[in-house]
Amino acid sequence: MFRNIYDSDVTTWSPQGRIMQIEYATEAAKQGSATVGIKSKTHVVLVALKRSPTTKLSSYCEKVFKLDEHFGVSVTGLIADARYLARFMRQQALNHRYYKGTPISVRHVADEIGYKHHERTLSAGRRPFGVGILIAGVNADGQPQLFQTSPSGDIFDFKAAAIGTRSQSARTYLERHVAAFESCALDQLVVHALTALANTAADGVKLTSSNTSIAVCGVGQPFTLFADDAAQGWLDTLVVRPEDRVAAADGDVDDEATDAPVATD
């Protein structure tokens, strides 16, 4: 077993200026099955590939959560950590509505969850959350928002993002088409997101209504989750052309090789 004298707690720095436990938590987030987010001028879309169960007796882990009428999240990494943070964000949204009578802004939620991540890096005896989160929603002014958080507490505002296993292939696809996203209609935006997600699947794994979750939110449209049979209508429109395929990067982890009952989703 690998052992590093600088990884005993989250407050210990290595001579190279690294905090090993944060890197371990980031690696846990990378090994979860992939999720992709894209936004246009009017909508934001989340899609997620649910981990294949190890036996036919097991169900898939849910990776997309609706937290309020105007926003939700998709996650990768340790699902137990993700549920804890999702419950925290849902409570923040409820409190904001109760005290101020208005929906909480998506940026404010991202800031709060960034602080929550960062708190876990400031004192010994606690570990960082091993989860990456995409937060998607629409503010009261009708502006779609897409944020990514990391175990270190960093927050990033994205036009399109992908995290999880083999996500470099998805990011390459997104980079090639990012100029078109802003003007895309909803149907086109979902197809782009699913095509990017398809590039993260292991060889021989196809996107189906069982292993894929789709969520959309837009101007005048509440955050809506399409899973199982509800996702089939979107998947029927997906045709991945050979030119849309992106070869997996050398450093990408195989989706099935790291499938462990207690590790990541």
Side-chain angles (χ1 to χ4, degrees):
M1 180 178 177
F2 175 76
R3 179 64 182 167
N4 188 317
I5 63 173
Y6 300 105
D7 67 359
S8 58
D9 63 65
V10 76
T11 62
T12 302
W13 293 83
S14 76
Q16 291 77 34
R18 300 161 62 184
I19 301 178
M20 305 309 299
Q21 285 203 10
I22 293 179
E23 294 190 13
Y24 298 160
T26 302
E27 190 61 30
K30 288 180 180 179
Q31 290 187 11
S33 52
T35 180
V36 175
I38 305 177
K39 70 177 181 181
S40 68
K41 290 188 296 185
T42 57
H43 290 84
V44 59
V45 172
L46 294 175
V47 298
L49 182 63
K50 295 182 280 190
R51 178 73 76 182
S52 300
T54 54
T55 71
K56 293 183 179 180
L57 301 177
S58 172
S59 62
Y60 289 87
C61 290
E62 293 302 325
K63 290 169 56 68
V64 181
F65 305 96
K66 178 178 179 177
L67 303 182
D68 202 344
E69 288 300 310
H70 67 295
F71 83 98
V73 299
S74 62
V75 300
T76 180
L78 299 177
I79 295 299
D81 285 2
R83 290 195 188 101
Y84 176 87
L85 293 172
R87 183 174 60 183
F88 169 78
M89 286 185 278
R90 185 177 288 116
Q91 190 63 50
Q92 292 294 108
L94 288 172
N95 289 343
H96 193 279
R97 280 188 181 272
Y98 180 78
Y99 287 110
K100 297 190 177 181
T102 58
I104 193 171
S105 75
V106 182
R107 176 75 208 202
H108 184 69
V109 174
D111 287 339
E112 288 294 325
I113 207 65
Y115 297 146
K116 195 76 171 175
H117 274 295
H118 192 225
E119 284 177 353
R120 290 298 188 101
T121 70
L122 298 178
S123 60
R126 308 179 77 186
R127 67 166 177 81
F129 293 109
V131 61
I133 303 176
L134 295 182
I135 306 171
V138 176
N139 285 333
D141 61 1
Q143 184 67 32
Q145 301 285 310
L146 177 64
F147 294 96
Q148 177 186 327
T149 71
S150 67
S152 65
D154 291 330
I155 306 167
F156 304 97
D157 186 354
F158 276 96
K159 296 178 180 178
I163 52 177
T165 300
R166 301 161 68 98
S167 59
Q168 182 56 53
S169 298
R171 285 193 293 272
T172 300
Y173 174 85
L174 295 175
E175 289 168 1
R176 291 176 180 175
H177 298 84
V178 65
F181 295 157
E182 186 175 4
S183 59
C184 277
L186 177 58
D187 289 346
Q188 295 173 308
L189 204 64
V190 173
V191 169
H192 275 302
L194 289 173
T195 304
L197 188 68
N199 277 290
T200 72
D203 293 339
V205 175
K206 295 183 178 181
L207 302 188
T208 67
S209 59
S210 297
N211 67 10
T212 307
S213 294
I214 304 169
V216 300
C217 187
V219 179
Q221 179 174 5
F223 189 92
T224 306
L225 175 61
F226 300 86
D228 299 324
D229 293 340
Q232 190 60 52
W234 297 107
L235 292 167
D236 288 341
T237 65
L238 176 64
V239 178
V240 182
R241 302 169 299 177
E243 57 266 32
D244 292 331
R245 287 288 182 185
V246 179
D250 292 339
D252 274 356
V253 183
D254 187 86
D255 193 44
E256 300 299 327
T258 59
D259 201 1
V262 297
T264 54
D265 60 285

